[in-house]
Amino acid sequence: MATEGMHSSGLSTPVTRQLEAAFNKIEVTGAHKQILALVLIGCLFDSFEQNTIGVAGPLLRQHWGLSGADIGLLNTITFASAAIGRLMSGILGDRYGRRVMLTFNLLLFSLGSAACALAPSFATLCIARAVVGFGVGGEISTAVTMLSEFCSAKFRGTAAGLVNVGAGGFGNFLAPAFGLMIFMTFPGENSWRWLFAVLAIPALLTVFYRRYVPETPRFLASRGRYDDANKVLSTLASGSLRPRNLVVQPYLSAEPAAASDAKGSWTELFKAPYLGRIIPVSIAILMSYGAQLSVLTLMPVIFVSMGYTLQGSLLYAMIIQSGSVVGAIAASTFGYYLPRKLVLTVGAALACVAAISIVYLGGNIYMVLLLGAVFQFFVMLLNTSIWIYTPELFPTRIRAFGVAFVLATGSAAGSFVPTISGVLFDRYGMVGVFALAAAMYAVFVACIQMGPETYGRSMEDITQPASTETEVARAAGEAVKA
């Protein structure tokens, strides 16, 4: 894209070169793994929460006489509020930091889950789902942004991708088993309430987020807080989030004035060159999320309509979701080795083929399970790769909002596509659901071709490569001279 070259190189500033040199020198330590574990625990519960309507859908239909469209409406409300929550979290995250929003969003999501458990009516449940959506939406986008900012160019794709291994991969896979466990432990017409109640547990994890997960060095440096950034970098290098007798190394030594150009406004996202990136990627994620959430929401209902019990339906849904785990792991691995657009293009084309195969070949339960698992593999491959790709499209000053905007578009898809799918299911059965999914992935393939490639590029300016050995040596020399 010609307009990309009109913007100054992020690698032209001393602080950026020093940051890249520091991340390359530190690589991946035990501190990175501790941060990743703390983030993934919260995201795992987030994923369980996103699956609850699909898991509890058959019981809700019995309890309140809901239709497939009503079940879709619950997701509509959840994901519409998630879209708003992500946007607000992105704006505030770029202003006040990623760490603050991570804690706040997890607490909000937990309070919403408790409200769902106590809902006396369908209308009240709808309101509670809106609260859940605000929290879930903001936390996921903040987590993706944070992990990409804690790592070097070599590892950032894998780090961001691992969020979806825990959330979309194992989360989607274990959600039916989690629901089945709750229903067996607390049988009866109110078992769905216990499902929501148990998911309020993540409120306890806010203590860990506040105490142990630091602010990202990239955000601190963008604000001219070099002493704080050096402390976090030194903590990462020490291998522990609670090091004893920490010696702070002067990884960054630029003058505070150098940070003046790093301040930005969220409105910058809608100007060149970022507008040309965000539009096609947002449309692509809308297609991918819409297809995935439709299937997640309606799969247990589909199996029940085929004559299987609720327990059997949840077991079959879990088998299909096994493809999600493998897909998320594959995407995290590809994030280390392969260009982003290649993975996204091939994955979307094959997801389209898998959806069409279910329509034409899903004549018995065995083929539905096999093809469904293949479909979920490509679905999670795409969604994880989008999470890897998106943080690399924007510089630190607007990254949280950029990531939030793209993921909010995905949440917006969840706010209306499952409702459409519910109507199609009521009229045409499983064929209508997967035919819509196939069409959406075909649109994905076309849109992703319009975005730039970011693999191996600087997070501050994708027209420039990430630090080479020459850049690392030069930045180290600058730090010594300073």
Side-chain angles (χ1 to χ4, degrees):
M1 299 176 67
T3 55
E4 302 274 355
M6 297 171 62
H7 291 255
S8 61
S9 167
L11 288 179
S12 64
T13 63
V15 66
T16 302
R17 290 197 296 271
Q18 291 168 15
L19 262 175
E20 297 293 346
F23 282 123
N24 278 283
K25 181 179 180 181
I26 294 170
E27 295 188 336
V28 177
T29 69
H32 285 95
K33 297 174 184 178
Q34 291 169 20
I35 293 171
L36 183 63
L38 289 171
V39 172
L40 287 184
I41 290 172
C43 291
L44 179 67
F45 279 96
D46 283 352
S47 183
F48 283 175
E49 180 57 63
Q50 291 184 55
N51 280 274
T52 51
I53 297 302
V55 171
L59 288 177
L60 289 171
R61 295 186 77 174
Q62 295 176 13
H63 188 73
W64 280 326
L66 304 182
S67 66
D70 291 329
I71 298 299
L73 178 62
L74 286 172
N75 264 7
T76 296
I77 295 170
T78 303
F79 289 96
S81 64
I84 299 172
R86 280 178 173 166
L87 293 175
M88 294 302 299
S89 183
I91 293 174
L92 295 175
D94 280 331
R95 178 173 297 183
Y96 300 110
R98 290 57 162 125
R99 182 174 179 265
V100 173
M101 298 313 300
L102 195 70
T103 300
F104 175 78
N105 288 318
L106 183 60
L107 179 60
L108 191 63
F109 140 73
S110 300
L111 293 175
S113 295
C116 288
L118 300 173
S121 65
F122 177 67
T124 307
L125 181 60
C126 289
I127 296 173
R129 294 306 298 172
V131 176
V132 168
F134 274 110
V136 170
E139 188 187 359
I140 292 292
S141 60
T142 302
V144 173
T145 301
M146 286 190 76
L147 289 182
S148 68
E149 291 184 351
F150 272 120
C151 300
S152 65
K154 182 186 296 185
F155 297 105
R156 70 190 183 217
T158 297
L162 284 174
V163 175
N164 217 24
V165 172
F170 282 102
N172 287 340
F173 173 63
L174 295 175
F178 177 75
L180 185 59
M181 179 187 69
I182 297 299
F183 295 156
M184 293 177 64
T185 305
F186 305 100
E189 65 176 11
N190 289 320
S191 57
W192 63 269
R193 296 185 184 275
W194 285 103
L195 180 63
F196 290 114
V198 172
L199 286 172
I201 291 176
L204 301 175
L205 297 176
T206 58
V207 175
F208 292 98
Y209 281 111
R210 283 195 298 264
R211 291 180 60 188
Y212 301 128
V213 178
E215 185 55 80
T216 71
R218 290 187 185 275
F219 176 80
L220 293 170
S222 74
R223 295 302 188 195
R225 296 166 57 184
Y226 301 120
D227 290 341
D228 292 335
N230 281 329
K231 183 176 181 180
V232 175
L233 288 168
S234 299
T235 299
L236 294 175
S238 74
S240 173
L241 292 181
R242 294 192 296 168
R244 296 182 178 180
N245 303 317
L246 177 67
V247 177
V248 178
Q249 300 295 327
Y251 291 102
L252 307 183
S253 58
E255 293 297 324
S260 60
D261 293 337
K263 297 179 181 179
S265 168
W266 63 270
T267 58
E268 186 181 356
L269 190 68
F270 304 106
K271 301 175 182 177
Y274 309 115
L275 183 62
R277 304 174 191 177
I278 202 167
I279 290 178
V281 175
S282 294
I283 295 174
I285 200 171
L286 189 150
M287 296 295 111
S288 185
Y289 267 45
Q292 180 202 20
L293 294 171
S294 295
V295 174
L296 283 178
T297 302
L298 294 173
M299 211 65 232
V301 178
I302 289 174
F303 284 126
V304 169
S305 71
M306 295 170 67
Y308 297 99
T309 64
L310 173 61
Q311 289 76 12
S313 298
L314 292 178
L315 177 61
Y316 289 148
M318 185 176 177
I319 292 173
I320 286 178
Q321 289 298 339
S322 65
S324 298
V325 179
V326 183
I329 293 173
S332 295
T333 303
F334 294 160
Y336 187 91
Y337 294 105
L338 297 176
R340 314 308 188 207
K341 290 180 64 176
L342 174 64
V343 175
L344 291 168
T345 301
V346 175
L350 294 177
C352 181
V353 172
I356 293 174
S357 298
I358 293 175
V359 171
Y360 287 100
L361 302 177
N364 60 69
I365 187 62
Y366 301 107
M367 289 302 295
V368 170
L369 293 178
L370 174 61
L371 295 174
V374 172
F375 175 76
Q376 283 301 125
F377 170 86
F378 290 114
V379 165
M380 199 52 55
L381 174 73
L382 290 172
N383 287 355
T384 305
S385 297
I386 281 279
W387 288 18
I388 292 171
Y389 182 49
T390 302
E392 298 176 340
L393 293 171
F394 314 106
T396 300
R397 63 184 180 272
I398 56 171
R399 181 171 298 120
F401 183 64
V403 172
F405 186 92
V406 172
L407 297 190
T409 306
S411 297
S415 73
F416 68 89
V417 179
T419 302
I420 296 173
S421 296
V423 173
L424 290 176
F425 172 71
D426 290 339
R427 293 185 179 180
Y428 305 107
M430 184 176 65
V431 172
V433 176
F434 283 97
L436 177 62
M440 296 181 80
Y441 282 116
V443 175
F444 184 108
V445 172
C447 288
I448 208 65
Q449 307 311 310
M450 304 177 190
E453 181 57 67
T454 60
Y455 178 67
R457 315 302 292 179
S458 167
M459 289 194 81
E460 304 307 322
D461 182 353
I462 61 173
T463 67
Q464 302 295 318
S467 291
T468 61
E469 293 183 2
T470 302
E471 290 286 353
V472 171
R474 183 168 61 171
E478 290 173 351
V480 171
K481 290 179 182 179

